[in-house]
Amino acid sequence: MMKVRLIAALLLSCSMPALAAGNSSAGQEKSVRCLACHGADGKAAAPIYPNLAGQHEAYLVLALQAYKSGARSGGQAEVMKAFVAGLSDDDIDDLAAYYAGLKP
């Protein structure tokens, strides 16, 4: 039974997406471009924009990558595509780490 649990745990860990390993301090510096819509503390003033503070880091990485690749559309996607077009994977990881670390 122990062997089955060990195998199941290994399979589960291999199937999970890798967590972002961003630098929160670098992300804070890079977040200047996000302030107008998502607020200085990751809390949007206008209801049309989502709050980013406290979101899961992996989710933020996936969302930003989806905007960058064009996989996300609708709503404010065109605006987001323009903002993320020049971001590197490291930039995205850093931003995700910063916003994930903020209090919601």
Side-chain angles (χ1 to χ4, degrees):
M1 186 66 160
M2 180 67 116
K3 200 178 216 182
V4 171
R5 287 185 183 160
L6 178 60
I7 291 171
L10 287 172
L11 289 173
L12 180 61
S13 68
C14 291
S15 66
M16 294 174 62
L19 293 178
N23 179 318
S24 182
S25 296
Q28 183 176 13
E29 293 173 18
K30 296 170 185 177
S31 71
V32 172
R33 63 181 27 201
C34 311
L35 299 178
C37 299
H38 298 289
D41 57 359
K43 296 174 187 145
I48 190 170
Y49 305 115
N51 293 328
L52 301 180
Q55 289 283 356
H56 293 282
E57 188 172 351
Y59 166 76
L60 291 169
V61 168
L62 291 173
L64 290 172
Q65 288 174 342
Y67 283 122
K68 187 174 177 179
S69 71
R72 268 199 171 181
S73 59
Q76 297 293 317
E78 293 305 316
V79 173
M80 284 300 299
K81 286 178 191 178
F83 278 99
V84 300
L87 296 178
S88 69
D89 288 344
D90 286 340
D91 293 336
I92 288 173
D93 289 348
D94 294 344
L95 286 166
Y98 170 65
Y99 283 113
L102 295 177
K103 187 172 182 138

